Amino acid sequence: MRLSRYFLPTLKETPSDAQIVSHRYMLRAGMVRQASAGIYSWLPLGLRVLRRIEQIVREEQDATGAREILMPTIQPADLWRESGRYDDYGKEMLRITDRHDRDMLYGPTNEELITDIVRREIKSYRDLPQNLYHIQWKFRDEVRPRFGVMRGREFLMKDNYSFDLNYEGARHSYNKMFVSYLRTFARMGLKAIPMRAETGPIGGDLSHEFIILADTGESAVYCHKDLLGFDITDQDIDFDADLQPIVDHWTSLYAAADEMHDPDSCPVAKEDLLEARGIEVGHIFYFGTKYSDAMNAKVTGPDGNEVAVEMGSYGIGVSRLVGGIIEASHDDRGIIWPDAVAPFHVGLINLRVSDDACNAACEDMYAKLMAAGIEVLYDERDASAGAKFADMDLIGLPWQVIVGPKGIGAGTVEVKRRATGETENLSPEQAIAKLAG
Ligand code: ATP
Ligand code: MG
């Protein structure tokens, strides 16, 4: 992508209304613009990151055997009257009336809608288990939308719903999501800590929040320091096998500390206890037959009797993750994208666009990098070196290739790793080989 033809409205000044670093950098890097309190437009650079995160979430869901669907944002109120949540949900729910005076709502979550789909289509235990997910915008009229996309009113969530014949099946579905979430966040370069949680308005009796560590997080976190030392992506997971040992292993590292994150009731030895702040990026629930009882979602069991299906629901804050990753990975010059979610892999900086040799070298590298399947943002604007460096550091691409007249005279370009600031002078061929490797 040529920067002069892109839409990247970066800001030099720090926007005064942004209280936390991710919000400031998302505005300054031209990733989002606010439409209304807690409601954002995603500009090209921000949308690329959002899509990357969404794709990792999708791949990890698919790997568990969950199937993707797409439910609408607008739902009929009657389904929520059946479950009893239409009145319970309160002011966070955006209520809408259509032209025929029918009550509708902008979905804050989808338990009712999915239960309605499943009760119509699934009649026998033979059609279970089922696990269906979608990645769709939600609306919650939060009292205090703040921190940019981290606590928005409109936000993108992956939510899925499991349906099983009995508790054992439901527990296995829950464990699959537990393990899958550890992998999903690890792939994004994040260390997510599963903490036992209250079930809240969704109801039920088993729930974990997944929290990533960041100083600006809204939740206090206490856990064993060893929890940060594991890498689940190293393991090959068979999602059909018994996952309880993996879940037990992880929970053993914080089980004692997790009782609603209270350090005083925590038997983990003080010297092993990590106290930090965190951001909730995912939340999983087992809630049994709460919705299937209320909405009459039953199947015929092996014995011929009808039973209500056992359910769970599982959410990931896809748009919140964009801010969360920045909170976890930045410095005072800007964002540092983990490779897996970066909007482009390489930023190519042409320091002198009036110089034929610089242009020729840049054009050649640009074409060759793209031919090697590497995504490049090429800064060929007629702007000062200082402005180009500042913008490139701000938008945080993992690699920078800096091409200037001096280097080209000596047959080299400078390759810089954004995260460490380390630089290397290489020939253009060596640089391409390094970046493609
Ligand atoms: P919170 O406690 O942060 O208000 P929640 O417990 O109400 O979140 P869930 O219903 O568990 O949220 O939703 C699943 C996920 O959706 C959360 O883990 C979070 O990552 C994301 N999420 C929830 N509310 C918001 C919001 N207002 N803005 C952005 N993401 C959100
Ligand atoms: Mg939650």
Side-chain angles (χ1 to χ4, degrees):
M1 181 62 62
R2 290 171 195 273
L3 194 35
S4 67
R5 295 185 202 163
Y6 205 44
F7 182 58
L8 186 72
T10 56
L11 308 171
K12 273 198 208 65
E13 309 299 323
T14 297
S16 58
D17 54 332
Q19 300 166 36
I20 62 169
V21 70
S22 60
H23 190 193
R24 288 199 286 273
Y25 282 158
M26 286 183 74
L27 292 170
R28 285 192 51 208
M31 293 175 66
V32 290
R33 289 293 181 261
Q34 183 176 298
S36 168
I39 303 179
Y40 291 86
S41 299
W42 292 78
L43 305 189
L45 194 78
L47 185 60
R48 285 179 81 98
V49 178
L50 188 70
R51 292 285 182 248
R52 284 272 140 85
I53 293 172
E54 191 182 322
Q55 188 55 25
I56 291 174
V57 170
R58 176 176 287 116
E59 286 168 15
E60 293 299 324
Q61 284 295 305
D62 290 345
T64 69
R67 295 293 163 240
E68 185 168 13
I69 61 173
L70 185 58
M71 289 179 273
T73 54
I74 307 289
Q75 304 178 19
D78 280 345
L79 286 178
W80 288 68
R81 292 198 173 98
E82 278 191 61
S83 73
R85 281 208 295 181
Y86 189 62
D87 295 324
D88 291 355
Y89 219 94
K91 291 201 161 189
E92 282 204 358
M93 181 185 280
L94 181 65
R95 294 151 207 266
I96 304 165
T97 310
D98 73 9
R99 66 197 297 163
H100 305 292
D101 273 336
R102 278 188 290 250
D103 293 330
M104 312 291 284
L105 56 97
Y106 194 128
T109 178
N110 282 62
E111 280 80 6
E112 284 77 359
L113 199 52
I114 192 83
T115 303
D116 182 50
I117 294 171
V118 166
R119 72 177 168 184
R120 289 163 189 275
E121 311 304 332
I122 302 239
K123 307 283 186 199
S124 159
Y125 75 96
R126 289 192 196 86
D127 302 323
L128 297 177
Q130 282 290 346
N131 192 328
L132 300 168
Y133 76 97
H134 75 160
I135 302 174
Q136 177 63 294
W137 294 90
K138 305 289 186 291
F139 194 95
R140 294 180 186 174
D141 207 350
E142 302 268 356
V143 208
R144 274 217 310 150
R146 57 185 182 150
F147 302 156
V149 299
M150 301 262 276
R151 184 164 296 284
R153 293 197 295 165
E154 191 181 47
F155 59 96
L156 188 60
M157 195 204 284
K158 183 285 299 172
D159 40 322
N160 56 313
Y161 304 87
S162 62
F163 301 86
D164 284 275
L165 179 62
N166 51 33
Y167 176 77
E168 290 67 44
R171 186 62 212 237
H172 181 62
S173 295
Y174 185 91
N175 287 351
K176 275 190 184 180
M177 287 302 124
F178 187 106
V179 174
S180 160
Y181 275 31
L182 295 172
R183 291 175 59 84
T184 303
F185 299 125
R187 273 189 64 190
M188 296 172 195
L190 297 169
K191 197 62 87 174
I193 301 178
M195 306 285 270
R196 209 159 70 217
E198 282 263 34
T199 50
I202 292 190
D205 59 7
L206 179 60
S207 173
H208 285 87
E209 285 174 355
F210 288 74
I211 311 255
I212 57 168
L213 299 186
D215 295 340
T216 48
E218 289 183 305
S219 336
V221 177
Y222 304 89
C223 69
H224 196 293
K225 59 179 171 29
D226 286 355
L227 206 53
L228 297 182
F230 288 89
D231 189 354
I232 187 105
T233 53
D234 290 346
Q235 293 177 35
D236 251 340
I237 308 282
D238 173 3
F239 281 100
D240 292 326
D242 181 11
L243 299 170
Q244 197 62 46
I246 302 177
V247 172
D248 288 345
H249 173 69
W250 281 78
T251 50
S252 72
L253 290 170
Y254 70 88
D258 81 337
E259 272 319 318
M260 302 321 153
H261 321 179
D262 175 9
D264 293 329
S265 65
C266 169
V268 173
K270 277 272 181 300
E271 61 270 25
D272 291 334
L273 194 66
L274 182 92
E275 181 180 344
R277 299 205 64 80
I279 300 164
E280 181 195 321
V281 289
H283 201 161
I284 61 178
F285 301 89
Y286 159 73
F287 46 70
T289 58
K290 179 180 151 106
Y291 296 91
S292 48
D293 276 335
M295 296 180 67
N296 202 31
K298 291 191 172 139
V299 293
T300 312
D303 56 5
N305 292 328
E306 285 208 318
V307 285
V309 291
E310 290 268 336
M311 291 175 60
S313 74
Y314 316 89
I316 289 183
V318 175
S319 51
R320 175 178 287 184
L321 273 164
V322 180
I325 291 169
I326 297 173
E327 290 296 327
S329 183
H330 67 270
D331 62 16
D332 56 7
R333 281 169 297 137
I335 302 162
I336 302 173
W337 291 116
D339 294 70
V341 301
F344 296 90
H345 194 58
V346 177
L348 176 61
I349 302 178
N350 185 342
L351 287 180
R352 186 137 345 133
V353 292
S354 57
D355 183 294
D356 288 343
C358 282
N359 287 339
C362 283
E363 289 294 337
D364 190 54
M365 285 197 76
Y366 182 53
K368 286 180 175 153
L369 285 167
M370 287 201 305
I374 297 169
E375 289 175 316
V376 187
L377 185 63
Y378 174 24
D379 190 350
E380 26 67 291
R381 294 173 303 175
D382 189 8
S384 73
K388 291 185 176 188
F389 288 140
D391 273 353
M392 208 52 95
D393 280 349
L394 174 64
I395 68 172
L397 308 183
W399 296 98
Q400 296 174 11
V401 176
I402 301 152
V403 180
K406 244 216 224 113
I408 289 302
T412 63
V413 299
E414 190 175 86
V415 176
K416 177 175 145 184
R417 180 75 177 158
R418 172 68 180 88
T420 59
E422 277 171 71
T423 62
E424 235 183 321
N425 289 318
L426 300 172
S427 71
E429 291 69 35
Q430 287 171 324
I432 292 165
K434 183 183 174 92
L435 296 167

